[in-house]
Amino acid sequence: MANDYKILGQITSTANTLSNVYVVPVSSAAVVNSIHIVNTGVANASYSIAVIPSGQTIGATTLPRFFVIRGSVIPTADSAQLDFPITLPAGAVLAANASSATVQISAFGLEVS
């Protein structure tokens, strides 16, 4: 098994659209060690982080249970760091949503293949 410490994914959010930050490859697993959120805008923005298990469908009734953070606020021209491990099996998705296109989200961790 190979352990690869890396940037798992980075996105600039599309306002109010859930986007994949990282999808675990087939025959792999991952541990997200930290998630960094940066707001480069001139107004406060909210963000949410979700973990979606492989094969799950996102809908109005299923999405709420996938959130690990929902509607947290990132102040103007500020950043936040989330330091709690999230384990992800093959095919799982780390996704994020923000209220503004000025929010960037990065995930760092370990991919095991």
Side-chain angles (χ1 to χ4, degrees), residues 47-101:
Y47 67 92
S48 299
I49 306 290
V51 174
I52 304 160
S54 178
Q56 293 291 312
T57 304
I58 298 173
T61 57
T62 58
L63 186 57
R65 75 173 179 240
F66 299 142
F67 283 114
V68 292
I69 292 184
R70 176 121 193 237
S72 189
V73 174
I74 183 87
T76 301
D78 203 355
S79 62
Q81 181 172 318
L82 308 175
D83 288 323
F84 53 87
I86 300 172
T87 56
L88 302 171
V93 176
L94 177 69
N97 181 15
S99 63
S100 170

Side-chain angles (χ1 to χ4, degrees), residues 11 13-14 16-22 35 37 47-52 67 93-98 103 105:
I11 64 166
S13 63
T14 300
N16 302 311
T17 301
L18 190 66
S19 301
N20 293 350
V21 177
Y22 173 68
I35 300 171
I37 301 99
Y47 67 92
S48 299
I49 306 290
V51 174
I52 304 160
F67 283 114
V93 176
L94 177 69
N97 181 15
V103 176
I105 299 169

